[in-house]
Amino acid sequence: MDLDLKQVARESHRSDRIGWLRAAVLGANDGIVSTASLIVGVAASHANPQNIAIAGVSGLVAGAMSMAAGEYVSVSSQADTEKADLEKEKEELSFSPQRELLELAKIYEDRGVDAGLSKVVAEQLMKKDALGAHARDELGISPSSLARPLQAALASAMAFSVGAALPLVLVFVVSEDRLMDGVFEISLISLFVLGSLASRVGGATIWRGAIRVTLWGALAMIVTAGIGALFGSVP
């Protein structure tokens, strides 16, 4: 049965969500690992519950701000580069439209389109949106992939805070003698679930992603616990 082009819905691909997925997973993973490691390290030094809580809350706040600032600076640099490239392309379109037309046609020809047809396609696309056509096919910039610094910063900070809250809440609800074991358990479970979810959404093997994240989290907590015990005070 022949289908009208208007009836064909745009396909959804996993790559469409890789940007926010990366930021969310990275933020939550860092929140769990860094805060849990900090709590375990301080607890292993035989610090009192109040000091452990202060260290955990400070770690959450500092980590969230660091994630937000780092993501904002990084994505802002990307946005500046994209803006500069678009401005340069706009100038080239203004001064040499014919040359830009041939350049776009050559791109399509290199992709396998017939030479004559590639020029027709380039002409039609440039007639509708010249800058958009060159941004997409020459520079690799599309509206869905444009850098959004503030959005990325807020997403990273929120993801970190949610991840950090999982081990931190145990400081206030678990007894001192069970705190380290509780933080280890809830953090490893959370990391396993997070790794599984990220792998599932990204289309990768679930077990590989889950085990990879969990092992690195466990290693971080073991190392910091050892350092805390080594340099901590004697109870």
Side-chain angles (χ1 to χ4, degrees), residues 10 12 24 26 39 80 112 119 124 140 146 154 163 168 186 195 213 229:
R10 182 179 182 274
S12 176
L26 179 62
I39 292 172
D80 291 341
K119 186 175 181 180
Q124 292 181 348
L146 283 174
L154 291 175
L168 180 59
I186 193 66
V213 171

Side-chain angles (χ1 to χ4, degrees), residues 46-78:
H46 306 294
N48 60 56
Q50 182 179 4
N51 288 336
I52 297 174
I54 292 173
V57 173
S58 299
L60 185 155
V61 175
M65 294 302 295
S66 177
M67 288 290 294
E71 196 72 15
Y72 185 84
V73 170
S74 174
V75 179
S76 291
S77 298
Q78 178 185 342

Side-chain angles (χ1 to χ4, degrees), residues 112-155:
V113 181
D114 180 76
L117 181 59
S118 64
K119 186 175 181 180
V120 173
V121 172
E123 289 174 343
Q124 292 181 348
L125 290 177
M126 287 185 64
K127 184 178 180 180
K128 181 178 181 181
D129 182 9
L131 182 60
H134 280 270
R136 181 179 59 254
D137 294 319
E138 182 182 349
L139 303 177
I141 300 174
S142 64
S144 62
S145 66
L146 283 174
R148 297 176 176 85
L150 185 59
Q151 182 186 65
L154 291 175

Side-chain angles (χ1 to χ4, degrees), residues 34-122:
S34 62
T35 306
S37 298
L38 180 61
I39 292 172
V40 168
V42 176
S45 70
H46 306 294
N48 60 56
Q50 182 179 4
N51 288 336
I52 297 174
I54 292 173
V57 173
S58 299
L60 185 155
V61 175
M65 294 302 295
S66 177
M67 288 290 294
E71 196 72 15
Y72 185 84
V73 170
S74 174
V75 179
S76 291
S77 298
Q78 178 185 342
D80 291 341
T81 301
E82 292 174 346
K83 183 178 180 181
D85 284 343
L86 289 174
E87 287 297 326
K88 180 181 178 182
E89 196 64 34
K90 187 182 297 184
E91 291 180 4
E92 291 176 350
L93 284 168
S94 176
F95 288 109
S96 306
Q98 188 61 30
R99 179 179 179 181
E100 292 300 303
L101 170 65
L102 296 176
E103 184 178 26
L104 191 62
K106 185 64 168 58
I107 291 174
Y108 299 143
E109 186 178 346
D110 291 342
R111 293 177 182 175
V113 181
D114 180 76
L117 181 59
S118 64
K119 186 175 181 180
V120 173
V121 172

